[in-house]
Amino acid sequence: MREFNEELIQFIDASPTPFHAVAWLAKMLECHGFIRLEEDQVWNLEEDKDYYVTRNDSSIIAFTYPPCAEKGYTIVGAHTDSPHLRLKPNPLTSVAGVKRLGVEPYGGVLLNPWFDRDLSLAGRVVYLEGDVRREALINIASPIAVIPSLAIHLDRDANTSRTVNAQTDIVPIIATGEIDFEQFILTQIREDTTGLTLLAHELSFYDSQKGSFVGVNEEFITSARLDNLLSCYVGMSALMETSYPMIVACMDHEEVGSDSHVGAGGTFLEETLRRIAGESFTTLMRRSVMVSCDNAHAQHPNFPSKHDSEHAPILNQGVAIKINSNQRYATSSRTMGRFVQCAHSLHVPTQTFVTRSDLGCGSTIGPITSTRLGVETIDVGVPTLAMHSIRELSGVNDAYGLYRILMHLGDF
């Protein structure tokens, strides 16, 4: 389990954006013999071979072939994106003697923890080399920016009623001297930028502090982007080790609603499954089961009343099964029964999560994908504290427990 969690942290550290996560997963899959497919080409799938395909380089689907004739696929769904601060197209401004880079919050980001952190920058850039348009991933791993807090002397209410204005309060500063933003970005591609012209970019700030084990007995994992790169790593690891037909879909844009050509609300997974199944698509979906994996809210020890006391997941006490009567989660008694039976057979604990009836409930790709594909689905997740913060926390036991269940669910 220790080795599993160490590799999980290494993956997250190497994946500051969905583009980097997909590149890392693709490399991992190829090292295990998976064959890359291209969406704009004809697929000639061969039995007992494994494949993967990407879209926009920010979503990835990997699968074994063929599916089981009786039970179809165990489909594992997760998402590659996390809430963060995204660079605006024309970001450079100058105020009070410093240069700043304007940002836009992506998803439901918890803003307060972004103050006073060493920030790095990563993402995808599109540029011209002569007359040829090219793309590149960049990762400025060293800290280049910080968002300084306003001193308590200038805001006596900071500890009682402080709010954060996303336009004016959360702008990273990068320098006091002159900066040519385009040249700065292009030098991340190559030192000699002669003949290069920046056309567009999708760049995100991230915390340069790496993930680590925390606690007297190192019982916790603390890292950025646990939600939901943890589930991507668990799903792909199970896929590479299981002996049962499985497909893993790690999708972008979940944190902003999934409605895009690469999100769960788009066609990527459905079109992939139709190409696999052909005329047997409907039959395959009725025989398959989907596990939507997305981190769950652990009961916060400082705010225990924020949970329903009978449905409050605890760190290191097992995977949380998410249930919502209004279908914000797609779990049914049938899919829950199958999942719990598998967990019991492996002596892996599970918990249940139901949001307090007087609080709003989030959602996942589970209901979206279940609706689109017509596949029975269960929503599960590793209990997590500080979700959507710049740094989140989970238990060392729970990701490994989910991994073990996913490896064997096809047997039930």
Side-chain angles (χ1 to χ4, degrees), residues 64-325:
T64 60
Y65 184 81
C68 175
E70 294 80 23
K71 294 184 178 180
Y73 275 123
T74 299
I75 305 171
V76 177
H79 63 88
T80 58
D81 61 324
S82 301
H84 63 270
L85 301 181
R86 176 75 60 85
L87 215 62
K88 291 182 176 179
N90 303 308
L92 191 63
T93 61
S94 181
V95 177
V98 299
K99 297 299 187 293
R100 307 185 305 167
L101 293 180
V103 293
E104 181 181 15
Y106 174 94
V109 57
L110 190 62
L111 290 175
N112 273 302
W114 282 78
F115 288 101
D116 308 316
R117 309 290 298 196
D118 295 346
L119 301 180
S120 302
L121 191 68
R124 182 171 67 184
V125 296
V126 181
Y127 63 99
L128 280 180
E129 184 173 15
D131 295 327
V132 180
R133 187 175 68 251
R134 301 189 186 279
E135 298 178 1
L137 295 187
I138 66 170
N139 181 10
I140 308 172
S142 59
I144 64 164
V146 66
I147 305 170
S149 295
L150 182 63
I152 188 71
H153 316 75
L154 304 178
D155 184 4
R156 291 295 183 181
D157 297 326
N159 290 329
T160 56
S161 60
R162 175 74 187 276
T163 59
V164 181
N165 184 298
Q167 174 68 22
T168 61
D169 297 352
I170 201 82
V171 186
I173 66 173
I174 60 168
T176 56
E178 291 301 316
I179 295 291
D180 185 323
F181 175 74
E182 179 173 333
Q183 285 301 305
F184 173 69
I185 296 302
L186 290 175
T187 55
Q188 309 306 314
I189 301 171
R190 71 184 191 200
E191 186 173 346
D192 180 9
T193 63
T194 304
L196 302 187
T197 304
L198 183 65
L199 296 176
H201 57 80
E202 292 175 83
L203 297 173
S204 304
F205 279 109
Y206 70 95
D207 184 3
S208 63
Q209 183 179 2
K210 295 184 180 299
S212 63
F213 295 98
V214 172
V216 173
N217 299 312
E218 297 191 333
E219 296 172 272
F220 310 116
I221 297 172
T222 180
S223 174
R225 303 178 299 282
L226 287 175
D227 174 28
N228 190 31
L229 291 185
L230 180 151
S231 299
C232 295
Y233 180 81
V234 169
M236 287 296 183
S237 297
L239 171 68
M240 291 185 294
E241 298 296 332
T242 188
S243 60
Y244 209 82
M246 182 182 290
I247 182 167
V248 177
C250 299
M251 313 295 284
D252 197 2
H253 293 162
E254 189 275 345
E255 297 291 359
V256 292
S258 294
D259 288 335
S260 71
H261 78 294
V262 295
T267 61
F268 187 26
L269 179 56
E270 179 182 355
E271 289 177 352
T272 299
L273 284 163
R274 288 188 181 278
R275 295 178 79 162
I276 293 170
E279 295 181 357
S280 301
F281 171 76
T282 301
T283 303
L284 175 62
M285 291 300 93
R286 297 309 310 141
R287 292 176 178 173
S288 298
V289 64
M290 179 174 179
V291 184
S292 169
C293 298
D294 201 349
N295 297 32
H297 292 289
Q299 186 176 37
H300 199 298
N302 299 337
F303 306 92
S305 64
K306 292 296 184 179
H307 275 74
D308 182 313
S309 60
E310 302 303 313
H311 305 92
I314 305 299
L315 296 174
N316 282 323
Q317 295 299 311
V319 178
I321 300 170
K322 303 179 182 182
I323 301 165
N324 181 261
S325 62

Side-chain angles (χ1 to χ4, degrees), residues 23-102:
W24 197 98
L25 292 171
K27 184 177 180 179
M28 182 174 72
L29 290 166
E30 289 182 355
C31 288
H32 282 78
F34 281 71
I35 301 167
R36 183 182 181 100
L37 299 169
E38 301 295 340
E39 284 197 283
D40 61 354
Q41 297 177 6
V42 176
W43 294 0
N44 295 305
L45 304 179
E46 300 180 28
E47 289 195 10
D48 300 322
K49 290 191 176 181
D50 306 323
Y51 299 92
Y52 78 94
V53 59
T54 69
R55 180 177 286 189
N56 188 49
D57 292 329
S58 63
S59 293
I60 184 169
I61 297 173
F63 58 94
T64 60
Y65 184 81
C68 175
E70 294 80 23
K71 294 184 178 180
Y73 275 123
T74 299
I75 305 171
V76 177
H79 63 88
T80 58
D81 61 324
S82 301
H84 63 270
L85 301 181
R86 176 75 60 85
L87 215 62
K88 291 182 176 179
N90 303 308
L92 191 63
T93 61
S94 181
V95 177
V98 299
K99 297 299 187 293
R100 307 185 305 167
L101 293 180

Side-chain angles (χ1 to χ4, degrees), residues 319-335:
V319 178
I321 300 170
K322 303 179 182 182
I323 301 165
N324 181 261
S325 62
N326 294 307
Q327 295 303 297
R328 299 294 289 170
Y329 304 128
T331 303
S332 69
S333 57
R334 177 178 291 169
T335 56

